[in-house]
């Protein structure tokens, strides 16, 4: 098996959800529960890059505020 690919994920609260932003691929998604954050980020990365989800690891970091607003 190959070495997993690791991605940093910035997370911050917004309204009633948690925004997840992956700087390396400049993409974002949102979840309602922190427990779903890693799986949601992994799915987003897999869909947009074509990588196998089993080979993706995510380091979710909570941020006090949004550093970027990719949809603005």
């Amino acid at each position: 098996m190959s070495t997993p690919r690791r991605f940093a994920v910035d997370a911050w609260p917004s309204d009633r959800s948690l925004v997840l932003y992956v700087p390396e691929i400049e993409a974002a998604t949102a979840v309602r529960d922190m427990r779903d954050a890693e799986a949601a980020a992994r799915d987003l990365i897999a869909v947009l890059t074509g990588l196998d989800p089993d080979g993706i690891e995510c380091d979710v970091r909570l941020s006090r505020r949004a550093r970027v607003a990719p949809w603005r």
Side-chain angles (χ1 to χ4, degrees):
M1 187 166 142
S2 63
T3 304
R5 178 98 183 266
R6 184 173 294 277
F7 290 84
V9 179
D10 293 326
W12 62 86
S14 176
D15 295 322
R16 294 183 182 138
S17 64
L18 186 67
V19 175
L20 306 173
Y21 177 67
V22 185
E24 189 172 336
I25 62 171
E26 298 182 351
T29 190
V31 294
R32 292 207 180 263
D33 192 316
M34 180 62 177
R35 293 174 287 197
D36 300 328
E38 189 171 343
R42 185 180 306 110
D43 289 346
L44 174 70
I45 294 164
V47 166
L48 295 178
T49 64
L51 295 172
D52 179 3
D54 294 333
I56 298 171
E57 292 182 0
C58 297
D59 292 324
V60 179
R61 307 177 294 220
L62 289 176
S63 176
R64 289 182 189 248
R65 61 191 161 133
R67 293 184 198 170
V68 295
W71 51 88
R72 292 183 188 178

